[in-house]
Amino acid sequence: MSDAGLHQRALDALRDPRPVDKCRLTRTLHEDFHGDRLGSAPEPPPEPLPQPGRPVRPPLVPFAQLPRRGLGSQAGRVALAHALAHIEFNAINLALDAVYRFRAQPSGFYRDWLHVASEEATHFELLCTYLDAHGCAYGDHPAHGGLWDAACRTAHDVLARMALVPRVLEARGLDVTPGLVEKLERAGDERLAAVLRRIYRDEIGHVRIGSRWFRRCCEARGVEPRQAFRELVRAHLPARPRGPFNEAGRLAAGFSTAELDDLREMAG
């Protein structure tokens, strides 16, 4: 057994640029945490991480430069699967970074975010399997280069991280995924639709975890959650929240009706 502790193991997985190995290290860390098989070596404080480990490909470009393709063609559905694989790859890193960066949290915090990281790895692998079945691999298309920005903007504060990453970035997937599933079903692509249904179900749980820890952080600091969420979104989000919002999915994921009203107001 390695003497490396929880935070060092999370950093090792974060820094690994090879997707297959990142998924393996993530899953093994999750299992070792549950099996009480982590080392106890002293761990240095967290350090800035401008970029996590990632492969040379895909090339990263601004969002506006990504090609737009309809889901009526197989090429369009492959492009969608590639874009989603990139999001899930970044989601692994975001969950690992929460484990690495935020110290002195309750054990349940690390258990939850390792669970999220492990499920994100599964999502990434499911999408890569779909790509492989259609002659494509992760890295064959350009991808959005700004997905790690939220981690850097919230690296100083666990409360800001819980507000912005699960409750804004991941929650956006709850808004758009049901519509994508419907379009894929109409196009006859049941295989990719099934993958997205699995991701949607798991992501409700991930956002619910973020909502729970956001509220616990608010309670620990003696701040009111609704007002804190509004202020953090306005302070850290570079643009207005994007609607429309999936009310049923967000309520299941821990949002209140008042928070949904606030989001609609902020979205304009």
Side-chain angles (χ1 to χ4, degrees):
M1 181 182 74
S2 168
D3 200 36
L6 169 66
H7 305 298
Q8 182 60 50
R9 291 273 300 273
L11 180 61
D12 291 343
L14 258 175
R15 283 178 165 167
D16 200 301
R18 300 159 296 187
V20 171
D21 290 333
K22 189 185 292 286
C23 291
R24 176 182 56 79
L25 290 171
T26 297
R27 195 165 283 116
T28 301
L29 174 56
H30 183 220
E31 293 167 355
D32 287 349
F33 180 85
H34 278 276
D36 196 22
R37 294 188 294 271
L38 295 175
S40 56
E43 298 193 89
E47 59 188 65
L49 196 66
Q51 284 292 335
R54 57 172 298 273
V56 175
R57 301 172 67 246
L60 300 182
V61 300
F63 182 77
Q65 294 182 17
L66 293 176
R68 300 289 190 270
R69 294 176 178 169
L71 300 186
S73 70
Q74 186 62 62
R77 296 192 293 274
V78 166
L80 170 66
H82 189 280
L84 295 174
H86 184 65
I87 291 170
E88 298 297 333
F89 183 79
N90 277 272
I92 301 168
N93 288 324
L94 287 164
L96 288 171
D97 190 70
V99 174
Y100 166 67
R101 188 156 309 284
F102 301 117
R103 308 296 171 89
Q105 300 296 319
S107 177
F109 178 92
Y110 303 116
R111 180 187 64 244
D112 281 349
W113 289 108
L114 287 173
H115 170 78
V116 171
S118 182
E119 287 195 337
E120 305 291 19
T122 296
H123 299 167
F124 175 77
E125 291 166 340
L126 288 170
L127 290 161
C128 287
T129 298
Y130 177 88
L131 291 173
D132 181 67
H134 295 283
C136 184
Y138 178 59
D140 287 354
H141 293 266
H144 178 23
L147 293 170
W148 184 250
D149 290 351
C152 296
R153 290 198 304 272
T154 59
H156 65 292
D157 185 7
V158 64
L159 180 62
R161 176 67 63 86
M162 294 299 103
L164 269 294
V165 171
R167 306 193 89 225
V168 174
L169 293 186
E170 286 203 69
R172 183 60 185 153
L174 304 184
D175 301 330
V176 302
T177 301
L180 291 174
V181 170
E182 290 180 6
K183 291 178 181 178
L184 291 169
E185 289 173 340
R186 287 199 297 269
D189 197 331
E190 175 56 30
R191 181 173 185 175
L192 187 53
V195 173
L196 266 63
R197 284 194 291 268
R198 161 72 186 272
I199 290 174
Y200 178 76
R201 183 184 71 241
D202 291 347
E203 295 295 348
I204 286 179
H206 299 177
V207 178
R208 188 186 302 122
I209 285 170
S211 294
R212 178 165 67 246
W213 287 106
F214 171 72
R215 292 196 169 89
R216 289 191 184 183
C217 289
C218 287
E219 181 181 358
R221 297 186 191 187
V223 299
E224 199 279 316
R226 180 183 177 186
Q227 183 63 28
F229 185 63
R230 287 173 63 100
E231 292 175 356
L232 288 164
V233 168
R234 286 171 170 159
H236 294 285
L237 201 66
R240 288 174 178 266
R242 294 177 62 190
F245 303 103
N246 174 2
E247 182 169 338
R250 284 181 178 255
L251 289 174
F255 281 81
S256 67
T257 54
E259 287 174 324
L260 288 173
D261 289 340
D262 291 341
L263 284 169
R264 293 186 187 101
E265 178 189 329
M266 287 187 281

